[in-house]
Structure formats: C-alpha cells, structure tokens
C-alpha cells in the first residue's frame, strides 16, 4: 500500500493546484492577495511589532504559485517553497524567471521532513495542506520545530460543517472508483448536476468558484485524503502540537459582533460565555466558514483584549480590504461598514500610528466592535 504522501503527490502532479497563473503583477492588480502576507497583514502576524525587516519565510505545500507570490511582494525577505509536486514547483520556476525572484528557493519534499533543511523561519505559511496529510498533527509538529521563537504560523484547514456535502460526494465517488482523469471528472460533474435541490453538496458548490476549474474540482470532490475541522479541533491541532493560538484571520466569522442577524436574547447569552465558546457557537449558528485561517505562535503573546487597560495603547489599523466609498462611507467585502454619526471622526482618525487612547477614551467600545467585526487590526504601541 502506498503511503499517503505518495498518493497525494500523484494527485497534485496530475492536477497542480491552484490553476497556474501566468503573471503575479496582473493577479495582484486584480485585487488578489495571499493571507498572511506581511506587506498587508503585519499587525495580525506580530501585534507586538514585526521582529525584523528581512524575514525568512517558509511556504510549506506551496502549490503552483504561493512561494513565488511571497517572494514577489517581499523582495527584501528570503522565501523557501516546499512541495511534493514537481509540476507545481515547475510553475514556480516559471514565475521565478518571469519576475526575477532571486530571493526564492524551492525544495521538493515532504513537509514532515522540513527539519532536514536545517533552517528556522520567522514566518511559515501552510494553507490547505495539513488536512491532506495522513497525520496533520505530525505536520504541525514538524512546522513548529522549524520556527524561531518569535515566529508565526499562518495556517488554513477546511471548516467542517460547510463541507458536509463534499464528504458525502467524496465517499460516493470512492465507492464508484471514480478516477481524477478526464472521464472521471466529466462523470462526477454530471452526477453533481443531477443532485436533488436539497442535497447538502449545493451548499458548498453554490458558494465556490474553485470547483469550476478541473484542478479545483479534483481538489474538492476527488481527493484521496482530506479532512475538515471544527473550531475546537483547530485549537487542538495548534495547542496539541507545541504552538499557541494567536488569532483568526477573519474575526467576523467567530464573534457575534460579526453578524447582524442574531436575536437580542441570544446575543446577550453569547456575550456571557467564554470567548472560545463564542467562536464555537458562531460556527454552529452561522455555518459561514469554508476554511479556518488562523495565526499560531511558538511563544504565547498576550491576547488582544478590550476589557483591562491594555486597549488604551492598542494602535488600530484598517483592514487592507476596507474601501472608502465616499467622504464618510466605508465598505469591506462588498458590505457597508455601519458607523453611527459620532463614530465617523474617530474611525477616520485611524492611521496605524495613533493609539485608541489618543484617538479618544470614549472609542473603546467602538474599536472593540470593529476589531471583532474584522474591520480593524490592532498592534500594540
Ligand atoms: C490544495 S494545495 C494548496 C497550495 C497552496 N498552499 C495554496 O494555498 O494555494 C496543497 C499543496 O500541498 C502539497 N502537499 C500536500 N501534502 C504535502 C506534504 N506532506 N508535504 C509537502 N507538500 C504537500 C500538494 O502537493 C499541493 O501542492
């Protein structure tokens, strides 16, 4: 019997993922980004301040473009991409040449053996990979083992509930021995098109652009090794393997403040339970998340909290996704940001330098709400 890494390597050799892009500047100019890119999300990575300008970045399971992307946007840092799939690394080499990425190195191998490279990293990106391993805990431990003390892991694993129908279809296609080749993909697409309207798989398909490409379709429905995580399982993956949870990439998915549709009595009861139970409850209530994107540290850092006194020295930064529509109107993810008349001036005062205390002590509740809604990132002065 082949080991799981060999089986997974074969899948991504046949269908390199994500579908290759030919020009990074064009992709970025179209509004695309990489979660955890320090040029955009530094306050989420290191709320206490970026440890050094020249970073050593590891992209573990880099696919066709992710390590090249980080090398392109972080020219003053050294980036290493590791992947099992040679065709994925070959596309990296194309991007490396096209964009003259002298700061990129590539390594074909299994992230379980990343320690053999003999280097430690300030920033480790591992998105969409651990959940394809036979033992994701072993993968998380291997990554923790190559992090410097003030290092940070940007991880992503699939979220369980939204993918319920995906796992039903994976199970069906395995029983029917559907292969990830042209005729298998065509057959599986026909089956999905004929599902009854109430089938759980629609919940994923309707919200996914990914399944339109063959690479995305295979990655979703014909994957030989794939599992998903609830919020408590994500925390166990991190904390059971030598790391400390630091935060979510998108707070709005995990805090009740992220939803307008929660009834007042439920909101009041949620506000009384511990923060971690709020995160788990939001997942149970809303079933929003397809993925859990998270930040984990080797050494714990004080949690962001607006309840003691520390908030006065927090420095708010706009989430890079915020758009200014007009003088006093802002939006993010296509939705307007709700601000009352007296909140517009302090919100407009955010410059990534002034502290909440300097903007005004009366703004504590507003910044707490905006942080829980994901509109604001905070660093510590
Ligand atoms: C779904 S793709 C994600 C690619 C990239 N991280 C991204 O987010 O765009 C998963 C990638 O991880 C690689 N991979 C899976 N298991 C791996 C392992 N044990 N070691 C190294 N790479 C692995 C696969 O070859 C594939 O290229």
């Amino acid at each position: 019997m082949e080991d799981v890494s060999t089986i997974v390597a074969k899948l991504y050799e046949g269908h390199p993922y994500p579908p290759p892009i030919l020009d990074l500047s064009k992709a970025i100019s179209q509004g695309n980004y990489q979660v955890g890119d320090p040029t955009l999300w530094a306050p989420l990575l290191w709320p206490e301040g970026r440890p050094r300008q020249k970073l050593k970045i590891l992209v573990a399971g880099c696919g066709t473009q992710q390590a090249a992307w980080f090398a392109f946007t972080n020219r003053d840092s050294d980036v290493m991409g590791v992947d099992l799939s040679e065709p994925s690394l070959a596309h990296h080499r194309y991007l490396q040449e096209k964009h003259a990425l002298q700061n990129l190195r590539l390594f074909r191998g299994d992230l379980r053996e990343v320690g053999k490279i003999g280097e430690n990293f300030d920033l480790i990106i591992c998105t969409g990979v651990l959940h394809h391993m036979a033992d994701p805990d072993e993968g998380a431990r291997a990554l923790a083992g190559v992090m410097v003390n003030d290092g940070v892991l940007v991880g992503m694993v699939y979220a369980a509930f939204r993918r319920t129908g995906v796992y039903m279809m994976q199970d069906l296609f395995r029983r029917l021995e559907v292969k990830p080749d042209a005729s298998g993909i065509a057959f599986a697409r026909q089956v999905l098109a004929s599902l009854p309207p109430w089938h759980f798989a629609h919940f994923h398909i309707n919200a996914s652009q990914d399944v339109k490409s063959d690479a995305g379709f295979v990655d979703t429905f014909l994957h030989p090794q794939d599992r998903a995580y609830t919020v408590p399982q994500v925390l166990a993956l991190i904390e059971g393997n030598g790391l400390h949870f630091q935060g979510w990439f998108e707070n709005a998915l995990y805090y009740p403040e992220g939803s307008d549709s929660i009834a007042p009595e439920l909101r009041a009861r949620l506000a009384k339970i511990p923060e971690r139970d709020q995160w788990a409850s939001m997942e149970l209530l809303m079933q929003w998340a397809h993925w859990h994107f998270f930040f984990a540290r080797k050494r714990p850092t004080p949690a962001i909290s607006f309840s003691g006194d520390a908030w006065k020295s927090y420095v708010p930064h706009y989430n890079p996704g915020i758009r200014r529509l007009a003088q006093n109107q802002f939006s993010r993810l296509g939705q307007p940001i709700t601000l009352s008349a007296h909140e517009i001036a302090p919100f407009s005062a955010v410059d990534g330098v002034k502290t909440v205390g300097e903007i005004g002590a009366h703004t504590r509740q507003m910044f707490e709400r905006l942080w829980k809604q994901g509109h604001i990132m905070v660093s510590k002065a």
Side-chain angles (χ1 to χ4, degrees), residues 149-172:
N149 285 339
D150 51 12
V152 53
L153 166 71
V154 178
M156 180 277 272
V157 290
Y158 291 140
F161 301 123
R162 189 121 202 189
R163 286 176 68 84
T164 304
V166 170
Y167 293 116
M168 296 165 84
M169 298 315 293
Q170 283 188 6
D171 185 357
L172 173 81

Side-chain angles (χ1 to χ4, degrees), residues 15-300:
H15 297 278
Y17 184 92
I21 55 168
L22 298 179
D23 188 324
L24 290 167
S25 4
K26 189 166 166 207
I28 291 167
S29 71
Q30 290 167 342
N32 299 298
Y33 57 84
Q34 290 292 327
V35 172
D37 189 331
T39 61
L40 295 171
W41 317 102
L44 296 181
L45 299 170
W46 292 284
E48 75 279 22
R50 180 173 169 143
R52 54 199 71 81
Q53 191 53 34
K54 185 179 172 82
L55 299 169
K56 284 189 70 171
I57 303 174
L58 170 69
V59 186
C62 57
T64 54
Q65 68 204 28
Q66 199 175 28
W69 196 305
F70 276 83
F72 182 80
T73 52
N74 295 270
R75 294 253 179 198
D76 51 359
S77 293
D78 288 328
V79 181
M80 173 167 294
V82 174
D83 205 286
L84 293 168
S85 156
E86 175 48 35
S88 299
L89 294 175
H91 192 68
H92 262 91
R93 283 191 280 275
Y94 159 81
L95 292 171
Q96 180 168 35
E97 196 178 321
K98 177 171 179 68
H99 296 291
L101 302 172
Q102 272 109 15
N103 57 337
L104 174 64
R105 287 178 296 158
L106 298 166
F107 181 84
R108 185 178 182 194
D110 193 316
L111 72 81
R112 290 180 296 175
E113 298 182 349
V114 72
K116 289 188 182 161
I117 297 174
E119 296 181 28
N120 290 327
F121 298 90
D122 303 298
L123 174 59
I124 299 180
I125 310 293
C126 188
T127 59
V129 185
L130 293 174
H131 51 223
H132 294 314
M133 297 181 71
D135 183 354
D137 293 284
E138 183 189 2
R141 282 194 298 278
L143 297 178
V146 294
M147 271 169 101
V148 299
N149 285 339
D150 51 12
V152 53
L153 166 71
V154 178
M156 180 277 272
V157 290
Y158 291 140
F161 301 123
R162 189 121 202 189
R163 286 176 68 84
T164 304
V166 170
Y167 293 116
M168 296 165 84
M169 298 315 293
Q170 283 188 6
D171 185 357
L172 173 81
F173 294 140
R174 271 183 212 123
R175 288 168 195 273
L176 297 174
E177 297 185 7
V178 178
K179 302 274 175 293
D181 54 21
S183 73
I185 294 169
F187 171 74
R189 284 195 187 278
Q190 270 174 28
V191 173
L192 290 181
S194 69
L195 289 176
W198 55 83
H199 197 285
F200 288 170
H202 291 300
F203 191 36
H204 182 85
I205 297 167
N206 293 343
S208 169
Q209 290 300 316
D210 213 26
V211 294
K212 293 189 177 134
S213 71
D214 281 356
F217 187 87
V218 165
D219 193 51
T220 306
F221 289 109
L222 298 175
H223 210 291
Q225 178 75 27
D226 173 337
R227 61 156 294 187
Y229 289 75
T230 62
V231 164
Q233 288 167 343
V234 173
L235 298 174
L237 174 69
I238 297 166
E239 293 167 353
N241 293 296
L243 292 166
H244 299 268
F245 178 79
Q246 172 165 284
W248 303 107
F249 174 63
E250 180 51 83
N251 273 352
L253 300 174
Y254 302 94
Y255 286 95
E257 286 79 353
S259 171
D260 290 338
S261 67
I262 296 176
E265 187 186 345
L266 174 57
R267 190 177 292 281
R269 293 178 76 146
L270 286 169
K272 288 192 190 131
I273 63 177
E275 195 169 52
R276 288 180 170 218
D277 289 317
Q278 293 186 21
W279 303 338
S281 302
M282 285 301 288
E283 181 177 43
L284 294 168
L285 276 168
M286 308 308 296
Q287 299 182 358
W288 269 330
H290 290 263
W291 315 277
H292 295 296
F293 279 96
F294 59 84
F295 304 100
R297 299 293 292 264
K298 180 130 174 193
R299 291 270 166 87

